[in-house]
């Protein structure tokens, strides 16, 4: 999901796949910077990001960054470039709707501030929760969402509700003026044109991991049988 354009920013055509990898590069670069290294090669960054070096060089070329042959990329400047492109030179205000177990965990997550986001509001439909403090922020009723969005200039909404109410919550967010939504609920939502949606389905991610685990187990079994056959046929 690309953040809203910064005022006066230069339009730059960056492929969506590249945008999806920029946060991964940023995470790797921050780790490299913390190790004290002033420069990084495309090979080193590729290893940190889990891609190949050619892809790193192509992705970074979309930012106008080409590195220096024999030296690599300046780590601090590349961090600045990626943060600027992702819109992380300011803190984006977000609201979390649905303060159950997941909502509590997200509200208490300290990494948001480090990555350019500020939890500006917590909202729930349960009036019994209204006024409860979570992560130093009071829970407000969902009816207060438009007022909260306007007062805090909230750009991004996070849905952490049960699937049964996710469309209603999305409609409320759009009606309140939110144009970017991160959906943790296991359901697909329909939004008007101009509203960006990213979906995080933990069950699907676990199922994908299960696929790879099964494949690794199968390959291990094939190798084991191959060694057993070799032992039996060895003179």
């Amino acid at each position: 999901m690309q953040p809203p354009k910064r005022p006066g920013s230069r339009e730059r055509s960056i492929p969506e796949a590249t945008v999806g990898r920029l946060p991964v590069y940023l995470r790797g670069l921050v780790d490299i910077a913390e190790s004290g290294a002033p420069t990084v090669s495309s090979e080193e960054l590729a290893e940190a990001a889990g891609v190949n070096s050619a892809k790193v060089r192509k992705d970074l070329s979309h930012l106008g960054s080409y590195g220096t042959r024999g030296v690599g990329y300046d780590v601090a400047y590349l961090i600045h470039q990626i943060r600027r492109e992702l819109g992380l030179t300011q803190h984006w205000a977000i609201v979390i709707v649905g303060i159950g177990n997941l909502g509590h965990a997200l509200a208490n997550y300290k990494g948001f501030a480090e990555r350019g986001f500020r939890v500006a509001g917590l909202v729930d439909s349960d009036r019994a929760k209204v006024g409860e403090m979570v992560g130093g922020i009071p829970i407000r009723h969902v009816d207060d969402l438009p007022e909260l969005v306007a007062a805090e200039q909230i750009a991004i909404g996070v849905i952490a509700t049960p699937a049964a109410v996710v469309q209603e919550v999305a409609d409320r967010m759009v009606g309140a003026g939110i144009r970017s939504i991160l959906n943790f609920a296991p359901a697909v939502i329909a939004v008007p044109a101009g509203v960006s949606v990213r979906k995080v389905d933990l069950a699907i991610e676990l199922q994908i991991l299960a696929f790879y685990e099964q494949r690794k187990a199968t390959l291990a079994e094939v190798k084991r049988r191959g060694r057993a056959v070799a032992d039996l046929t060895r003179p």
Side-chain angles (χ1 to χ4, degrees):
M1 177 182 64
Q2 288 183 284
K5 293 291 183 181
R6 301 179 305 281
S9 66
R10 179 167 64 90
E11 289 289 338
R12 185 186 284 117
S13 178
I14 299 181
E16 185 175 344
T18 296
V19 174
R21 287 189 289 270
L22 290 181
V24 182
Y25 296 148
L26 181 59
R27 182 179 60 197
L29 285 165
V30 170
D31 289 341
I32 292 168
E34 289 176 350
S35 74
T39 60
V40 62
S41 68
S42 58
E43 290 78 12
E44 291 169 325
L45 186 53
E47 183 177 355
V51 297
N52 62 60
S53 58
K55 185 164 291 183
V56 168
R57 290 190 294 271
K58 184 174 182 180
D59 285 343
L60 297 184
S61 71
H62 291 294
L63 300 165
S65 187
Y66 298 93
T68 303
R69 183 177 294 275
V71 176
Y73 299 88
D74 182 286
V75 172
Y77 181 62
L78 194 51
I79 288 174
H80 168 72
Q81 278 188 299
I82 294 177
R83 286 182 59 83
R84 181 184 62 191
E85 196 60 46
L86 289 174
L88 302 180
T89 52
Q90 62 173 301
H91 276 67
W92 296 97
I94 68 175
V95 60
I96 300 171
V97 179
I99 314 303
N101 292 334
L102 177 58
H104 270 79
L106 293 172
N108 284 302
Y109 177 55
K110 304 304 180 185
F112 284 132
E114 299 171 3
R115 290 165 174 79
F117 301 93
R118 175 177 65 89
V119 179
L122 306 175
V123 170
D124 201 281
S125 61
D126 186 353
R127 293 193 180 276
K129 295 180 180 180
V130 172
E132 177 186 342
M133 300 294 290
V134 180
I137 302 172
I139 298 176
R140 298 178 61 170
H141 192 265
V142 67
D143 290 344
D144 295 337
L145 186 59
E147 176 188 344
L148 182 61
V149 169
E152 296 290 341
Q153 296 185 312
I154 292 173
I156 300 170
V158 178
I159 300 178
T161 65
V165 297
V166 65
Q167 185 62 57
E168 178 187 348
V169 171
D171 292 342
R172 280 178 174 265
M173 284 184 171
V174 172
I178 289 175
R179 293 294 177 265
S180 293
I181 297 173
L182 179 61
N183 177 26
F184 279 92
V188 176
I189 57 176
V191 295
V195 176
S196 302
V197 176
R198 295 287 292 185
K199 188 174 186 301
V200 180
D201 192 318
L202 300 180
I204 286 178
E205 297 303 324
L206 286 171
Q207 288 164 358
I208 292 171
L209 288 175
F211 164 79
Y212 287 113
E213 282 301 310
Q214 177 177 259
R215 188 166 70 172
K216 285 185 285 187
T218 300
L219 288 174
E221 178 63 17
V222 168
K223 289 179 180 178
R224 187 190 67 77
R225 291 182 180 180
R227 286 193 297 269
V229 170
D231 290 342
L232 289 173
T233 58
R234 185 178 296 119

